[in-house]
Amino acid sequence: GENVEQHPSTLSVQEGDSAVIKCTYSDSASNYFPWYKQELGKGPQLIIDIRSNVGEKKDQRIAVTLNKTAKHFSLHITETQPEDSAVYFCAASNYKLSFGAGTTVTVRA
Amino acid sequence: GAVVSQHPSWVICKSGTSVKIECRSLDFQATTMFWYRQFPKQSLMLMATSNEGSKATYEQGVEKDKFLINHASLTLSTLTVTSAHPEDSSFYICSARDYFSGDRLSGANVLTFGAGSRLTVL
């Protein structure tokens, strides 16, 4: 089955700086790569996703890149704000989603 | 956008009792729903895939007689934790795929998640 690895497990950044989270996947058949933000006690919320036929996607302060050859994808958050503090999960899907272990992001004011 | 409602948001029960968790797609039809389990500070682990009108498909290591799944309509799936024990205490989260959304050419599977149900078994 699919195996998704996510790094780092924790990330502390100064407000206004950028945050980068990286993930790798194992199944070359995976074709959909969403990123979720989860706040304490809540379900995951989709923040951005990318499909296998696209190399990069951007939505305001959030961007995701995908390298199919290397089987890795990354989340970039620019101009971080305190409300960006949460746990972020990457996932890879070929019908069923497999999640990374998560990254706890803390934005210091 | 698509909304998935999950109920109850939290429940406390005695050991040996059964608990039912509901997952509803509010504004779309979901032929497939997924049930996840999440322990504190851990990732989401897929438990089973719920298909409308047919038996659920369970992941390896998940007891189907312990975690009963019913997907009787295109908008409702239920997870029943039978004879619950303290080790079943966890955060259970459902997700649903809008049958009419997603990229059918690439097979991309856009999911909407519920808010989760916190189960505590005493």
Side-chain angles (χ1 to χ4, degrees), chain B residues 20-94:
Chain B
K20 180 184 285 187
I21 300 170
E22 292 187 348
C23 181
R24 293 180 184 273
S25 55
L26 295 188
D27 49 1
F28 65 98
Q29 294 181 326
T31 54
T32 304
M33 292 185 174
F34 301 89
W35 287 94
Y36 294 84
R37 182 173 183 177
Q38 185 179 33
F39 290 109
K41 297 186 178 181
Q42 293 189 23
S43 189
L44 287 78
M45 298 301 296
L46 180 65
M47 297 175 65
T49 302
S50 170
N51 299 295
E52 187 267 335
S54 64
K55 291 183 179 180
T57 304
Y58 290 82
E59 295 300 301
Q60 191 173 8
V62 178
E63 300 175 58
K64 62 180 181 181
D65 295 330
K66 174 78 171 174
F67 300 100
L68 300 179
I69 292 173
N70 183 277
H71 192 158
S73 77
L74 284 172
T75 59
L76 174 64
S77 176
T78 60
L79 168 68
T80 300
V81 183
T82 63
S83 186
H85 291 285
E87 57 266 29
D88 298 324
S89 299
S90 188
F91 194 50
Y92 293 88
I93 310 171
C94 70

Side-chain angles (χ1 to χ4, degrees), chain A residues 83-99:
Chain A
E83 51 264 38
D84 293 330
S85 296
V87 180
Y88 291 81
F89 291 98
C90 63
S93 173
N94 179 23
Y95 184 68
K96 291 191 293 187
L97 271 180
S98 295
F99 284 84

Side-chain angles (χ1 to χ4, degrees), chain A residues 95, chain B residues 28-32 34 95-99 101-102 108-111:
Chain A
Y95 184 68
Chain B
F28 65 98
Q29 294 181 326
T31 54
T32 304
F34 301 89
S95 68
R97 176 176 182 239
D98 185 345
Y99 179 75
S101 79
N109 192 36
V110 180
L111 296 180

